[in-house]
Amino acid sequence: MTAPAVIAAVGLGGNVGDVRHALASALAALDALPGTRLLRASRCYRTPAWGMQAQPDFINAAATLQTTLAPRALLDALLAIERDHGRERAADGSRWGPRTLDLDLLVHATAVVHVPGLVLPHPQMHLRAFVLVPLAEIAPDLDVPGHGTVRALLAEVDASGVVALEPGHAASA
């Protein structure tokens, strides 16, 4: 029996190599996942590096999906897409370094999950303009469980460093 389809949101980003090509390729890969359909993709945004700031700016985008994949299966698929695009995760577990492609499962319907390797909604997404600005472009009324709508969350953060690149969306970038 197939699971019912739900709406999931994914954050996309990178700052190494041809990031816009990687984002467009990742969107196509998301749309090709079993039981999954790409609904919307935001424009690309240039954003300052987060965490480790001594690195190039990032290009970020967001996408909404309709999927029958469970949260863990979808996350595993995102990690496989990252690897297919040359993403290498640091063996020491360090975070926020340069990357060819970063795919974050932000929201999976109303799921609230806190297990090793998977936290939903994505931790700190409600505080990060580089997540909220692109997501607000395509899903302003999306509810982030326990936090409120994307639109309301965006109103509470400083988004001055997030700059939209030319019109269009990541899929055509």
Side-chain angles (χ1 to χ4, degrees):
M1 183 172 163
T2 304
V6 300
I7 302 300
V10 176
L12 302 90
N15 69 343
V16 174
D18 187 348
V19 176
R20 295 173 91 185
H21 175 75
L23 297 185
S25 177
L27 288 168
L30 290 171
D31 196 39
L33 291 174
T36 301
R37 182 170 59 101
L38 176 66
L39 297 176
R40 297 198 65 199
S42 73
R43 291 179 286 180
C44 290
Y45 292 82
R46 182 169 308 284
T47 64
W50 176 271
M52 189 177 89
Q53 296 175 334
Q55 60 180 319
D57 285 350
F58 276 76
I59 295 177
N60 289 98
T64 53
L65 310 172
Q66 183 178 41
T67 187
T68 59
L69 295 175
R72 176 64 73 174
L74 182 54
L75 177 63
D76 289 345
L78 298 182
L79 295 175
I81 293 169
E82 285 182 351
R83 285 190 302 275
D84 290 346
H85 285 81
R87 171 76 187 267
E88 296 179 15
R89 292 188 176 267
D92 65 2
S94 61
R95 303 170 64 182
W96 303 309
R99 58 201 71 171
T100 56
L101 179 65
D102 185 36
L103 298 176
D104 290 324
L105 180 54
L106 302 173
V107 173
H108 190 282
T110 59
V112 176
V113 179
H114 199 278
V115 297
L118 176 61
V119 177
L120 287 172
H122 192 281
Q124 307 300 311
M125 73 169 277
H126 61 286
L127 303 174
R128 295 178 174 172
F130 69 87
V131 172
L132 295 171
V133 170
L135 192 54
E137 178 187 327
I138 59 170
D141 297 320
L142 182 72
D143 184 59
V144 178
H147 298 286
T149 66
V150 170
R151 179 190 332 267
L153 295 171
L154 179 56
E156 299 297 318
V157 301
D158 176 7
S160 60
V162 179
V163 178
L165 300 178
E166 68 272 351
H169 56 82
S172 65

